[in-house]
């Protein structure tokens, strides 16, 4: 009898898990909007690909980046006659889950300080993809709508409990059967509430008064938003151009609802870390977190931006019936926000005489989680360092959440960020820690220049020119 009862209980348990499955979203022809990121010349050589032919995806992206400015040249005589503006910077937002609260605090404070650069393109992976939507919608606007966007972003990263974001398995061992430690239905609901509350809950006061950034993103002309993820079957990295994805949809309620689901599909696909979070399938295809391949993505985006500037320069000359001006040698700056630390925290805070769990437990799930943390840490550092392969010179401004552990937030001098996270061992989202990290991001933006200029290479391929955070040069020059 006991055996039969056990089998029945196990069957009910498995049935409940199986019912969760993948998170499925509808978006007409979604795969047609997924573009490949072209490899760098070095990557092409490693894969034995043609080095001479201009990658078609790079030119196609350049055409999309240049389209709005070319249209303005053709329709605005004053803009046509004005002096060309310098190349605008790019913003790269990394993954990091709950660590994204750091980037939220940092960016919101930079806007309030009026120190937020005017970015031409923003790319995002995982939690950075969610943030990128708010940046693209006008996070940096100095008006009521900009303030509402910043507040919506802060609210999105201010959960009252973990279950506001994910529905986690009570027993971690069930992940082997269910396919993930947590499903993303709460995150989808939270996401849709913030990006278009009037569609998600039209009867509520918040729904009637809320700002639908889906419409704002669709109509944005001056800033491209690119969200990166992995197509699980091929394993290749791709991205969607948010403005292109939303262009087919109008202002009616039905259209905005469909556009919201498309945007949710792209953003959640970028945040779906395999094994940790529920699979995301959009129109029947499975997608993984872009961080599986790279924590930030630039690759051909910077080259496409340079080509876009050339297309604009030639069109200006054609319309003015004169020879094109000489191309500017100054490339736009790149800004990178690492939503998290670059140092890998230990498996646990080890007390004297007490070994770490990883040294005393040999279960497969614990080993997978720890090895994933180690690989992701290296991937994050390598992705950022690899930016220099594509751009040896020019400024790459970088900021991370390093130093968070001993930070004491302004709202409570009796706590520190690190212990808040460590006390909630095993949790994926810790509200108190996220609040502390948001305050830390604000502090970094308030307490002086938060960015460091990553090392430049001098052209010899052997020597690096690195500056300290205060701008001074170290005594010795680094080497490759």
């Amino acid at each position: 009898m006991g055996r039969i009862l056990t089998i029945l209980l196990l069957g009910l348990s498995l049935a409940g898990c199986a019912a969760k499955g993948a998170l499925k979203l509808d978006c007409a022809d979604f795969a047609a909007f997924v573009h490949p990121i072209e490899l760098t010349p070095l990557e092409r050589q490693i894969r034995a690909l043609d080095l001479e032919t201009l990658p078609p995806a790079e030119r196609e992206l350049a055409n999309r980046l240049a389209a709005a400015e070319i249209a303005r040249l053709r329709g605005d005589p004053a803009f046509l006659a004005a002096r060309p503006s310098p190349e605008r910077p790019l913003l790269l937002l990394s993954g990091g889950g709950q660590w994204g609260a750091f980037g939220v605090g940092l960016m919101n404070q930079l806007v309030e300080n009026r120190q937020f650069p005017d970015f031409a393109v923003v790319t995002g992976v995982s939690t950075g993809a969610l943030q990128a939507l708010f940046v693209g919608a006008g996070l940096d606007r100095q008006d009521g709508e900009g303030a509402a966007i910043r507040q919506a972003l802060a609210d999105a990263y201010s959960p009252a409990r973990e279950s506001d974001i994910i529905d986690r398995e009570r027993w971690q061992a069930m992940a082997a059967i269910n396919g993930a430690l947590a499903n993303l239905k709460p995150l989808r609901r939270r996401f849709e509430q913030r990006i278009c509350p009037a569609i998600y809950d039209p009867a509520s006061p918040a729904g009637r008064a809320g700002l639908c950034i889906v419409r704002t993103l669709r109509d944005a002309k001056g800033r491209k938003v690119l969200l990166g993820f992995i197509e699980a079957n091929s394993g290749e990295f791709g991205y969607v151009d948010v403005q292109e994805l939303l262009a087919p949809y109008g202002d009616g309620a039905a259209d905005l609802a469909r556009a919201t689901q498309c945007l949710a599909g792209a953003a959640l696909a970028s945040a779906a870390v395999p094994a940790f979070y529920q699979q995301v399938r959009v129109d029947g295809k499975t997608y993984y977190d872009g961080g599986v391949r790279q924590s930030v993505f630039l690759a051909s985006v910077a080259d496409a931006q340079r080509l876009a500037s050339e297309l604009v320069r030639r069109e200006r000359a054609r319309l003015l019936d004169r020879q094109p001006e000489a191309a500017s040698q100054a490339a736009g700056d790149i800004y990178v926000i690492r939503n998290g630390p670059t140092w890998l925290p230990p498996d646990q805070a080890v007390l004297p005489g007490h070994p770490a769990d990883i040294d005393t437990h040999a279960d497969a799930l614990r080993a997978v989680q720890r090895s994933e943390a180690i690989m992701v840490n290296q991937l994050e550092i390598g992705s950022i360092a690899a930016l220099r392969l594509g751009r040896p010179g020019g400024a790459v401004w970088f900021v991370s959440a390093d130093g968070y552990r001993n930070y004491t937030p302004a709202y409570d001098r009796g706590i520190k960020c690190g212990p808040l996270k460590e006390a909630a061992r095993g949790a994926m989202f810790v509200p108190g820690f996220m609040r502390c990290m948001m305050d830390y991001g604000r502090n970094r933006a308030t307490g002086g220049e938060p960015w460091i200029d990553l090392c430049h290479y001098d052209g010899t391929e052997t020597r690096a020119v690195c500056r300290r955070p205060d701008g001074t040069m170290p005594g010795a020059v680094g080497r490759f």
Side-chain angles (χ1 to χ4, degrees), residues 342-368:
T342 61
W343 288 93
L344 178 68
D347 187 48
Q348 71 173 28
V350 181
L351 299 174
H354 293 77
D357 281 357
I358 201 65
D359 294 327
T360 58
H361 295 72
D363 59 281
L365 185 60
R366 191 181 305 276
V368 167

Side-chain angles (χ1 to χ4, degrees), residues 74-98:
R74 293 170 178 172
D76 185 345
F79 182 68
L80 176 63
R83 184 178 181 82
S85 56
E87 192 169 314
R88 291 159 61 204
L90 285 74
L91 174 63
L92 316 183
L93 298 170
S94 85
Q98 66 179 337

Side-chain angles (χ1 to χ4, degrees), residues 160-204:
R161 58 194 68 83
E162 185 180 62
S163 59
D164 290 345
I165 299 179
I166 57 168
D167 180 13
R168 190 151 55 100
E169 289 286 359
R170 183 174 300 176
W171 297 286
Q172 289 196 356
M174 294 305 298
I177 299 169
N178 190 38
L181 292 170
N183 78 57
L184 294 172
K185 291 177 183 176
L187 177 59
R188 177 186 176 183
R189 180 171 59 248
R190 189 176 186 84
F191 173 81
E192 291 177 343
Q193 285 175 321
R194 266 77 188 172
I195 64 170
C196 201
I199 295 300
Y200 185 81
D201 189 6
S204 70

Side-chain angles (χ1 to χ4, degrees), residues 94 116 153 170 233 249 252 426 459:
S94 85
F116 197 79
L153 178 59
R170 183 174 300 176
N233 184 44
Y249 301 99

Side-chain angles (χ1 to χ4, degrees), residues 87-120:
E87 192 169 314
R88 291 159 61 204
L90 285 74
L91 174 63
L92 316 183
L93 298 170
S94 85
Q98 66 179 337
W99 297 93
F102 167 78
V104 171
L106 178 84
M107 290 190 291
N108 280 354
Q109 188 62 52
L110 286 172
V111 173
E112 292 176 22
N113 297 348
R114 297 180 182 269
Q115 294 176 325
F116 197 79
D118 179 21
F119 296 109

